[in-house]
Amino acid sequence: MGGENVQCWCVCVYLMYVENGQMGSVLAAASPSPDPQSAAAGGGMAVSGLMSVPPGFTMPPVSSVPPSADAGSALPNPGTYEECHRKCKEVFPLQMEGVRLVVNKGLSNHFQVSHTVTLSTVGDSGYRFGATYVGTKQTGPAESFPVMVGDMDNTGSLNAQVIHQLSTAVRSKVAIQTQQQKFVNWQCDVEFRGQNFTSAVTFGNPDVVVGSGIVVSHYLQSITPALALGGELVYHRRPGEEGTVTSLLGRYTGENYVATLTVGGAGAHATYYHKANDQLQVGVEFEASSRMQETLTSLGYQLDVPKANLIFKGTVDSNWVVGATLEKKLPPLPLTLALGAFLNHKKNKFQCGFGVTIG
Amino acid sequence: MGSVLALSSRPGHQNWPFSTDPPPSRWDRRDGRLPNPGSFHALHRSCKEVFPQQIEGVKMIVNKTLSSFFKVSHILHLSAVSPSYYRFHVEHLQSDDYSKDKDAPALIGEMDSTGSMNAHSLLHLTERVRARTVFQTQQSQFVTWQFETEYRGNDFTAAVTVANPDVLRESVILVAHFLQSVSSGLVLGGELVYHRGRAEEGGILTLAGQYSRPNWVATLNAGKGGAHASYYHRANKQIQVGVEFEASTRTQETTTSFGYQMELPEANMVFRGMINSRCIIGGVLEKRLSPLPATLIMGAFVNHRGDKLQVGLGINVG
């Protein structure tokens, strides 16, 4: 009984910091993770979605898959473990409520600053200041290291990440999250990219005094140019109890689709992403959780209309939740207007919000 | 007099269902005669139209003109704080020879998805006499039923309203209005309200005065029930400003509001903002999306004292 509780807690904590925003995260719930297509500012800084990013941020580009391997025999590097489900998740709209004003300012090629003012109808209104620094060590056409991302709330909560490329194949990341003055998350991970595989080890909340911590190890291997298989092992330890959770992942990439399946002790997660044409992308997601004993199926789509500077995302869900987000750039000003509304038919609850991003 | 269901009305005429444009141009008269002062309800209207209306949730309005007499609107409102509803709104315009403003609707009806109904009718009985009736129900119960007769003389207006006459409960509210143009800019008048119930009866007298110049209008209502003063100023073609002061002896409260309206016709945009002595700040932006016959409305109201925020989006099609 106790072991099961610890397992539940550990899986919960693990899911919180590894998958940004999925199944509820401590601070990221306050504001959605940034839209990876958000406008670039000075020096080509745009999110491509490799690392889990603190809320309200645009990240410098970190490519997921290096340029295609030389012809024929060599298998390509499969990317990272966290990223397998990401393409599908990016299609879904994020729930918006209240009013949000974001001002991004690029101070130089290396430094970018953002101010976010949030007025919320249900939670707390606040101001958040964020800064991004991209270093001088250039490893690719659009990649530079080290990358330091930090943001601070008006209540004093801090999110910070430092990503550095230690050598051509090894990359490491240190991330810290506090809730006001208390440290909630502190983790360090090291990732090794081989010719056709990726492996990573993460140490989460290691506490030598208490003797607790979480160690997560990932391994992803390209079997064929389209198929990648991998696994994840989570070892958690608290004074008095310890345990492990394993899961297996398989990803199949077609010409214009990606299908991913994760099966493990905590449940199953299957996603399918399909790019119908230049304008329409569709994603279907199925999640089953053994802990909460429930399943969720969602359908999402994204419509890009570049001529009208418009991006529309819609979602329908098996929880009877319908939602949509509209993002429109307003040229000639560097303004982006975002409108969103979510309606939960089962609980008869409605939420709407809009936001303006400048710069 | 506080209507239970606010009647949906066209943008620009936020609180009044019947159009009265062009507004009485008191300063255009050259023949020396004093103009008709308009109706008593219209006294504070130019100031009130400057203020933004509180908007909440998502509202979609589809307007359809079926013929030159008939207009229909479908209103869908999704709200986080109040129940969502669908409302059907229909307007029938009068074809009478006596109606001065040809496109003033004569019959307006609205029906809610909960069954609440709102009906207004305006009849021009003769050139000078108008009759107006209002019926309002909340689901199946009648909340308001009132009948008004208005006589417009050369330089005065007199109106009598009978509101909620109930023979069974022996209750009625009688209101008499009188407005007289005293000079080319000054209008004086009064309102007498007599209410009678089974156990009580009483009367309230309110005096009203309005002074207008080409660029500004100042209005004052004062009586035993309280005072209401408003000042409207048109700074230039784009900016209009309104200041309003209300004091009520019944609730023992006063409120001062400041509002402004900024029109940018090149950008097809109208912005209204307001700030209040109750620490309420609000703004509403209306933008016409030009190739489409659609208007996008975004608004937010913040009550700093209670730390509450209300956000609304609306789209009007047609």
Side-chain angles (χ1 to χ4, degrees), chain B residues 78-256:
Chain B
L78 299 170
S79 163
V81 298
S82 51
S84 311
Y85 61 78
Y86 161 76
R87 198 178 269 181
F88 179 71
H89 176 106
V90 70
E91 285 177 13
H92 183 269
L93 277 60
Q94 185 155 317
S95 60
D96 219 315
D97 289 334
Y98 292 134
S99 61
K100 283 272 171 63
D101 29 2
K102 288 282 180 204
D103 64 341
L107 289 172
I108 298 179
E110 244 183 27
M111 190 93 187
D112 215 341
S113 55
T114 59
S116 309
M117 181 203 73
N118 218 334
H120 289 231
S121 83
L122 177 68
L123 295 173
H124 293 253
L125 297 175
T126 74
E127 193 187 331
R128 291 182 182 270
V129 178
R130 293 182 198 194
R132 190 165 86 97
T133 57
V134 176
F135 291 98
Q136 267 184 8
T137 72
Q138 185 107 22
Q139 277 147 7
S140 59
Q141 214 187 7
F142 272 84
V143 169
T144 306
W145 56 105
Q146 72 186 53
F147 312 91
E148 177 178 339
T149 314
E150 188 181 77
Y151 178 84
R152 292 204 175 196
N154 274 340
D155 55 0
F156 72 95
T157 307
V160 173
T161 308
V162 178
N164 292 22
D166 194 339
V167 186
L168 296 174
R169 292 211 188 96
E170 296 172 31
S171 73
V172 73
I173 300 176
L174 288 172
V175 184
H177 290 148
F178 184 76
L179 277 182
Q180 167 86 51
S181 279
V182 172
S183 80
S184 66
L186 184 62
V187 170
L188 294 176
E191 170 187 64
L192 178 63
V193 179
Y194 168 77
H195 60 267
R196 183 207 162 98
R198 205 167 261 163
E200 39 86 40
E201 69 180 294
I204 302 173
L205 175 69
T206 310
L207 297 173
Q210 182 179 67
Y211 187 71
S212 40
R213 299 259 76 208
N215 276 344
W216 55 271
V217 175
T219 316
L220 172 67
N221 281 26
K224 239 200 324 200
H228 184 189
S230 74
Y231 175 74
Y232 163 83
H233 188 106
R234 181 177 263 274
N236 55 34
K237 255 195 254 184
Q238 293 176 329
I239 297 185
Q240 299 171 57
V241 164
V243 182
E244 195 177 4
F245 170 79
E246 277 179 76
S248 167
T249 54
R250 187 175 55 89
T251 56
Q252 301 272 307
E253 281 183 356
T254 66
T255 308
T256 310

Side-chain angles (χ1 to χ4, degrees), chain A residues 98-99 119-121 337 339 350 352 354, chain B residues 57-58 78-80 298-299 309 311 313:
Chain A
V99 177
L119 295 171
S120 164
T121 47
L337 174 70
L339 313 167
F350 175 76
C352 79
F354 65 86
Chain B
V58 169
L78 299 170
S79 163
M298 298 189 301
L309 170 76
V311 167
L313 292 172

Side-chain angles (χ1 to χ4, degrees), chain B residues 253-268:
Chain B
E253 281 183 356
T254 66
T255 308
T256 310
S257 321
F258 171 80
Y260 68 95
Q261 175 174 322
M262 199 158 70
E263 283 167 28
L264 296 169
E266 311 89 33
N268 280 328

